[in-house]
């Protein structure tokens, strides 16, 4: 695939997605970043030298429409779009509200990854790489968000099976606490942060660059025999088995 790979990073405007996109751009790859917020995405794309394509990855009609702007060939797909939608704060009362909130996290985290991957399935080059961002929450809990990230891991196995014969790998990178992102929407208390850092063996939060290093390895030719895996990047806060 060399240095002229076509890379698509969903949710590439901020945080981990931006850091991942920056690493691929620095390596000389052609990078397309996607996201829902046009201004954020356009500004990020300008800084990165990437191409912005604005759409909601969890909306089938929006993904269908966006296909015309996405690359005809995809060498690396990074499914990063998502996040804990419970932090957005628009909650409703009763069982209907509970169900709606639960479904929002499923759509935002697992449906989005599955939808974009399925939409691009015929564009994936032989030997392509699919990397999806999971979470420690799949194993340590976090309500519907943890459930959605656990579903990402199960879905990833099916993707690895589906595309494996073409030399295409599919892996999940599951971060623990990562600083310098919008993930908690300002709702991470100092006490909880101290507890999460205390759970690590190296006694620090992760950085977007910690995650990026693993993503870029899994996207490299060297990782051709690594597929169907969950790689944990959490400072030892959870020991994957």
């Amino acid at each position: 695939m060399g240095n002229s790979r076509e890379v698509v990073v969903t949710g590439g405007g901020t945080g981990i997605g931006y850091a991942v996109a920056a690493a691929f751009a620095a390596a000389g790859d052609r990078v397309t970043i996607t996201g829902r917020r046009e201004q954020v995405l356009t500004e990020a794309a300008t800084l990165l030298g990437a191409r912005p394509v604005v759409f909601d990855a969890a909306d089938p009609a929006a993904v269908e429409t966006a296909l015309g702007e996405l690359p005809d060939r995809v060498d690396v797909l990074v499914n990063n779009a998502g996040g804990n939608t419970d932090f957005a704060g628009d909650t409703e009362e009763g069982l209907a509200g509970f169900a709606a909130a639960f479904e929002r996290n499923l759509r935002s985290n697992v449906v989005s990854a599955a939808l974009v991957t399925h939409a691009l399935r015929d564009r994936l080059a032989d030997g392509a790489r699919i990397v999806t961002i999971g979470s420690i929450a799949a194993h340590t809990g976090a309500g519907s968000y943890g459930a959605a990230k656990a579903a990402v891991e199960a879905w990833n196995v099916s993707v690895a099976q589906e595309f494996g014969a073409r030399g295409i790998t599919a892996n999940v990178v599951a971060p623990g606490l990562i600083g310098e992102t919008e993930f908690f929407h300002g709702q991470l208390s100092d006490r909880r942060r101290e507890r999460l850092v205390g759970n690590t063996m190296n006694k620090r939060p992760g950085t977007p660059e910690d995650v990026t290093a693993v993503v870029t390895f899994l996207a490299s030719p060297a990782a051709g025999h690594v597929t169907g895996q969950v790689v944990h990047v959490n400072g030892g806060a959870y020991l994957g088995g």
Side-chain angles (χ1 to χ4, degrees):
M1 288 184 284
N3 288 326
S4 59
R5 296 180 300 179
E6 289 284 355
V7 179
V8 175
V9 181
T10 68
T14 61
I16 290 172
Y18 180 89
V20 167
F24 284 116
D29 296 319
R30 289 188 294 272
V31 180
T32 300
I33 58 172
T34 82
R36 293 175 298 166
R37 295 178 291 174
E38 184 170 7
Q39 185 176 349
V40 168
L41 201 68
T42 303
E43 290 174 0
T46 301
L47 290 170
L48 291 168
R51 195 154 60 93
V53 182
V54 181
F55 67 95
D56 181 351
D59 180 341
V63 174
E64 187 83 49
T65 301
L67 279 173
E69 299 180 68
L70 293 173
D72 292 334
R73 186 190 87 248
V74 177
D75 298 300
V76 180
L77 169 61
V78 180
N79 291 306
N80 169 73
N84 190 338
T85 55
D86 288 345
F87 289 126
D90 49 345
T91 55
E92 306 161 37
E93 295 298 319
L95 282 178
F98 175 82
F102 209 101
E103 289 168 5
R104 269 196 298 274
N105 256 327
L106 291 175
R107 282 198 308 273
S108 180
N109 292 283
V110 64
V111 173
S112 60
L115 193 55
V116 173
T117 303
H118 185 72
L120 294 176
R121 67 195 183 283
D122 293 333
R123 302 186 187 188
L124 293 169
D126 289 350
R129 303 285 186 255
I130 302 166
V131 183
T132 303
I133 304 301
S135 173
I136 192 174
H139 301 274
T140 59
S144 56
Y145 175 70
K149 290 303 192 182
V152 162
E153 295 185 9
W155 164 77
N156 179 71
V157 174
S158 298
V159 177
Q161 291 169 336
E162 178 182 355
F163 294 111
R166 292 177 51 201
I168 297 171
T169 65
N171 294 285
V172 172
V173 175
L177 173 65
I178 302 295
E180 308 163 43
T181 76
E182 299 177 347
F183 180 82
F184 288 100
H185 292 260
Q187 297 177 49
L188 178 64
S189 68
D190 289 343
R191 185 174 179 179
R192 186 178 179 195
R193 179 186 168 87
E194 286 173 17
R195 179 174 61 80
L196 293 175
V197 171
N199 289 341
T200 68
M201 294 178 182
N202 54 0
K203 304 306 174 191
R204 70 168 177 85
T207 67
E209 289 71 29
D210 289 326
V211 181
T212 294
V214 178
V215 172
T216 52
F217 165 68
L218 291 173
S220 74
H225 203 50
V226 181
T227 193
Q229 304 301 311
V230 179
V231 182
H232 297 278
V233 184
N234 58 42
Y238 168 80
L239 303 180

